[in-house]
Amino acid sequence: MPIRRLPPETVNRIAAGEVVERPASAIKELVDNAIDAGATRIEVEAHGGGLTRILVADDGCGLSAEELPVAIERHATSKLAPDADGLWDLLRIHTMGFRGEALPSIGSVARLSIASRAKGQGDAWSILVEGGSVGDVAPAAFAGDHGARIEVRDLFYATPARLKFMKSERAEALAITEEIKRQAMANESVGFSLDIDGRRVIRLPPEHPGPQGRLARLSAVLGRDFQDNAIEIDQTRDGVRLTGFAGLPTYNRGNAAHQYLFVNGRPVRDRLLQGALRAAYADFLARDRHPTAALYISLDTAEVDVNVHPAKAEVRFRDPALVRGLIVGALRHALAGAGHRASTTTAASALDAIRAQTMVPPGSFPAGGQGGGYSHYRPGPSAAGFSAWQDGGWTRPSPQVLPGLSDVSARVEPGSSDGDYGVAEAVREAAFGEYDAPPTIAYPGGFSEGPAPVFDPVDFPLGAARAQVHETYIVAQTRDGVVIVDQHAAHERLVYERMKGEMAAGGVARQALLLPEVVELDPAEAERVVARSEELAALGLVLESFGPGAVLVRETPALLGKTDAAGLVRDIADDLAENGQALALKERLEEVCSTMACHGSVRAGRRLNGAEMNALLREMEATPHSGQCNHGRPTYVELKLADIERLFGRR
C-alpha cells in the first residue's frame, strides 16, 4: 500500500482522542489552564454528563484579543519559553499544562466558545471554534473584571465513533465530580464549584495555604471522619519532601479508590503509591482492606518527567526507589507515632447501633410525663413485661433464682489487691515469656518508668479496669468515658509486636534444604531476584544464580516450615517487577508471626483478674499500633461520657 499523508483535520482529531478521552478529560485540561492563569475561583457546569454542555469560568489573568486566535493553534502555549541559549527545556515544567494541545483538541471535536477579558483591559473578546473551523475574534460581554469563560457544546459531535463509546450520563457525571475533587485537593487555596444538570454538587471556598487549610479541604472532600482519623505526614529525604495525611489503620476501605497522589501539585495516578501504601500498612490490614491517604510529593522538576502521557495523568521519577522508600518510611513513622490510637468511627458505629435499637419516633412518651421526661424511651417488647407487672399480672422473681445473675466473669473492687498496676505474672508469661521488667510506660504526671506513683488510675489513657464481661471483654473507666477492650485482639497485637522486634534484632532463622531447588524464571526476573539476594538472605531466603533464567534456592525461612520454594520465588519476582521490593516474603513471614501471635495470646473465654486486666491495658498504652489487631480491626472502643449521657436523654 502506498504511504499517504493524513489531512490536518484528521491529524487533529487523532491527537484530540489522546488528550480528550471523555468529558472529565476536557474539564481537567480547562481547569489546569485556569490554575496556570492564577485563578482563585473556578466554576464548572456540566449538562448531559458533559457531552451536551460544559462551562468552565475562572478569575485568572485572561486573554487579550491578540492571544485568542493563537491560543487555539496546536502546540501554541504561554507556559514554555526558551532559555538564554534559545533551548526549550522540557525537564523543568512548573505549570500544569505545557503542551499547547487542550484548546485545539477540544475545538477539533466539539463546538468551543471562549470569552475573556485580560487583566488591566476594559474590553472583552470572544472566539468560536466548531469542529476545527475557526471563527473571527469579536467583542463580547463579560461579567468579571478579568478571567475567562470557556463553553464546550456537543462534545465529540465531530467524531461519532468516539461518541458511541461514551458511558452513561451518570457515569460521566461521576467521573467529572471525581476530577474536580482531585483538583480541589491539589489546590486548597482555590475555590471550586460544580453544577451538574443545574444541581449544585460541590461548593468549596478557598482555604489558607498550608497543612491546616489542606486538611480542611480534604475534610470537605473526603468527609469529616477523615479529618478526625488522619495522621499528618511531613518527611524529607535527599531533596524529596512528602507531606499530606494518611488514615489510621482502623479507618480503612474496601478498595483503593480513596488513595490520592499529587506530584508538584499535579494529581497523578501511579502504581508506586498503591505498592508503597500496601507495604506501609502490611502489618495492620488484611489483604482485602485498603488505607485512605492523600500524599503530596514535592521535588526538583528535573527529577520527575511529566511528559510521559498525553493527558499528563502519569509521571516518571528519576529515582523511584527513593520516592517509594520515603513514602513507606514516612507512613510507618507516622503510624508508630499514633501509638494505641484507634479511629473515632468505631465508637460512632457502636453508638449508632445502640441508637438504632433503642430510639423510636418522638411521641412515644410525652416529654415530662411517662418515662421521666425522656420522649424517646422505648418500652420492652413483651406484653407480659414491666406493664403486666405494674398491673399485678406478673410476679417478680427474687434475684437468687435469676440464672446467671451472680456469674460475673471478673470484677475489680476499689481498694482490692487487684489494684496493683504492675505487670501481672500470667500476662507476662503469655505475652512476653520470661523477662524481668515491664516496658517503659509514660505515666500521667510526668513519671516515665518504674512503679506507678500514687494517683487515680482512671487518668491512664485507657483507664482503670473495672470488670470483665463474657470472659472476653475488659471494661475500663477513664476520666471522661468508658473503654471496652477485646482482650484477645489486644493481646495478639502485643505478642506480634514482640515477635517482630525479636526477628528484627536477631535476624530470621533459616533452614537448609536437603536438596537445593532450581526455580526457572524469565531471564529478566531471575536477574532482578539475584540482584536482591542479600536482602532476601536477611529475611531467611538464600538463593543464587543458576545460569540464565534460573535461580537455585538453598535455604528458606524456618518460620515458614515446609513451603513451596518455587512459588515463593515467583511471587517475589512479581513483586520486584511491580513494586521494587520483595513484599511476598515479608508478608508471608508477617502472616506466620501473626498466626503464631494469635495462638499464643490470651484467648477469648479466659477469666482474668484485676491485675491481669490492668497489666494488659498498660501494655497497650506502651506498645505502638495496639489500637488495631493484625487484621486491621479495632482492639478497643471508647465511649465518651457525653455520648453515653445523650443515649439516656441526659443531654
Side-chain angles (χ1 to χ4, degrees):
M1 294 179 62
I3 298 177
R4 301 181 181 88
R5 289 188 176 89
L6 296 176
E9 59 271 17
T10 303
V11 173
N12 291 340
R13 289 174 184 174
I14 292 174
E18 297 178 348
V19 178
V20 185
E21 179 186 0
R22 60 194 306 186
S25 304
I27 290 176
K28 173 190 180 300
E29 298 292 343
L30 298 178
V31 170
D32 281 347
N33 284 344
I35 293 172
D36 287 338
T40 59
R41 294 184 181 275
I42 301 175
E43 299 178 2
V44 180
E45 297 179 12
H47 293 266
L51 295 171
T52 304
R53 177 176 178 266
I54 293 172
L55 175 67
V56 178
D58 66 74
D59 60 352
C61 61
L63 296 167
S64 65
E66 295 77 15
E67 292 175 320
L68 279 175
V70 182
I72 57 175
E73 293 182 9
R74 190 166 299 280
H75 305 306
T77 180
S78 62
K79 301 165 188 177
L80 287 179
D83 58 18
D85 299 327
L87 300 176
W88 298 77
D89 190 359
L90 290 178
L91 291 179
R92 299 191 178 275
I93 305 297
H94 298 278
T95 54
M96 298 297 102
F98 59 91
R99 294 171 176 267
E101 290 183 306
L103 293 178
S105 294
I106 296 172
S108 65
V109 297
R111 295 181 173 92
L112 173 67
S113 173
I114 306 175
S116 180
R117 175 182 284 128
K119 184 177 289 187
Q121 295 188 7
D123 297 329
W125 303 89
S126 67
I127 193 170
L128 179 65
V129 184
E130 293 193 10
S133 177
V134 182
D136 296 329
V137 177
F142 194 84
D145 295 334
H146 53 82
R149 182 183 177 89
I150 302 177
E151 187 175 22
V152 181
R153 291 185 178 271
D154 303 326
L155 187 62
F156 299 126
Y157 89 95
T159 54
R162 174 59 63 88
L163 193 59
K164 292 179 181 178
F165 287 92
M166 289 296 103
K167 296 182 180 179
S168 66
E169 290 186 5
R170 185 175 186 277
E172 297 299 339
L174 290 175
I176 292 171
T177 304
E178 182 65 21
E179 182 58 44
I180 296 300
K181 287 181 178 180
R182 287 180 177 271
Q183 294 284 359
M185 286 189 284
N187 303 276
E188 69 273 6
S189 60
V190 179
F192 286 86
S193 68
L194 171 64
D195 290 11
I196 294 181
D197 295 327
R199 180 174 57 90
R200 179 60 54 91
V201 177
I202 294 176
R203 186 182 185 90
L204 299 171
E207 303 287 351
H208 291 291
Q212 295 306 315
R214 179 170 288 171
L215 183 58
R217 173 61 58 85
L218 292 175
S219 173
V221 174
L222 301 178
R224 179 62 183 270
D225 284 343
F226 180 81
Q227 179 177 358
D228 295 338
N229 297 286
I231 309 170
E232 185 174 0
I233 309 294
D234 191 350
Q235 294 286 335
T236 302
R237 182 185 300 175
D238 295 340
V240 181
R241 185 183 182 190
L242 177 69
T243 58
F245 297 88
L248 291 167
T250 45
Y251 182 73
N252 53 65
R253 298 299 182 96
N255 56 47
H258 290 77
Q259 298 174 2
Y260 302 91
L261 178 65
F262 306 89
V263 178
N264 288 342
R266 184 188 306 277
V268 298
R269 294 177 175 87
D270 198 300
R271 290 187 305 172
L272 183 76
L273 171 65
Q274 293 184 350
L277 282 174
R278 175 188 165 195
Y281 282 82
D283 276 358
F284 317 111
L285 295 180
R287 295 184 68 89
D288 60 343
R289 304 302 298 178
H290 302 267
T292 60
L295 303 179
Y296 301 77
I297 296 176
S298 303
L299 71 169
D300 192 316
T301 54
E303 298 298 317
V304 59
D305 185 2
V306 299
N307 195 27
V308 298
H309 192 278
K312 303 181 290 294
E314 299 176 5
V315 296
R316 184 171 298 158
F317 297 101
R318 186 184 297 272
D319 190 352
L322 170 63
V323 177
R324 187 186 186 284
L326 174 61
I327 293 175
V328 174
L331 286 172
R332 286 181 174 173
H333 178 77
L335 291 173
H340 65 274
R341 178 184 168 193
S343 65
T344 59
T345 54
T346 56
S349 299
L351 291 169
D352 289 343
I354 296 172
R355 291 189 182 99
Q357 295 178 10
T358 58
M359 300 292 283
V360 295
S364 297
F365 286 118
Q370 194 176 12
Y374 302 110
S375 62
H376 297 288
Y377 174 78
R378 174 172 155 180
S382 173
F386 184 70
S387 299
W389 172 67
Q390 280 187 316
D391 296 336
W394 179 64
T395 303
R396 181 180 179 182
S398 63
Q400 288 77 11
V401 300
L402 285 178
L405 181 64
S406 59
D407 296 340
V408 179
S409 295
R411 181 174 57 191
V412 181
E413 298 290 353
S416 69
S417 60
D418 285 344
D420 176 15
Y421 296 103
V423 180
E425 288 299 326
V427 175
R428 275 193 200 172
E429 295 175 2
F432 306 100
E434 297 292 336
Y435 82 102
D436 297 330
T440 300
I441 301 175
Y443 291 103
F447 296 92
S448 61
E449 58 183 342
V454 178
F455 69 98
D456 194 339
V458 299
D459 287 325
F460 279 116
L462 294 180
R466 295 306 188 201
Q468 180 195 40
V469 295
H470 295 291
E471 298 181 333
T472 301
Y473 302 102
I474 298 171
V475 180
Q477 177 186 347
T478 63
R479 180 64 63 184
D480 60 348
V482 174
V483 174
I484 304 173
V485 179
D486 183 335
Q487 67 186 41
H488 174 66
H491 203 217
E492 181 181 346
R493 168 58 69 176
L494 302 182
V495 177
Y496 179 54
E497 291 296 328
R498 172 180 174 263
M499 294 180 67
K500 283 201 310 179
E502 290 180 349
M503 191 170 66
V508 179
R510 303 192 294 251
Q511 61 181 6
L513 298 181
L514 186 61
L515 295 174
E517 186 167 350
V518 178
V519 183
E520 295 185 357
L521 300 169
D522 180 87
E525 293 178 337
E527 185 177 349
R528 280 193 293 265
V529 171
V530 172
R532 298 297 186 97
S533 58
E534 292 186 4
E535 175 186 336
L536 296 175
L539 294 172
L541 182 65
V542 177
L543 50 78
E544 60 189 44
S545 177
F546 195 72
V551 296
L552 183 68
V553 180
R554 293 191 176 276
E555 299 179 49
T556 59
L559 274 175
L560 299 182
K562 186 178 181 181
T563 186
D564 178 10
L568 176 60
V569 171
R570 292 191 182 98
D571 289 345
I572 291 172
D574 292 340
D575 275 337
L576 291 175
E578 182 177 356
N579 303 310
Q581 282 201 353
L583 296 178
L585 180 55
K586 292 182 179 179
E587 288 182 350
R588 289 198 187 188
L589 289 173
E590 289 164 354
E591 184 177 354
V592 171
C593 288
S594 176
T595 302
M596 294 172 64
C598 181
H599 289 284
S601 58
V602 172
R603 310 295 295 177
R606 174 177 169 181
R607 185 172 299 182
L608 303 178
N609 61 36
E612 290 172 333
M613 289 188 284
N614 279 293
L616 188 63
L617 298 178
R618 303 293 80 81
E619 298 293 348
M620 290 176 64
E621 294 163 351
T623 303
H625 318 308
S626 61
Q628 60 277 324
C629 73
N630 307 340
H631 310 292
R633 295 188 294 270
T635 58
Y636 71 90
V637 175
E638 182 177 10
L639 303 178
K640 294 297 184 181
L641 185 59
D643 294 325
I644 298 175
E645 289 175 342
R646 289 190 187 97
L647 291 176
F648 291 95
R650 292 182 175 272
R651 287 198 176 208

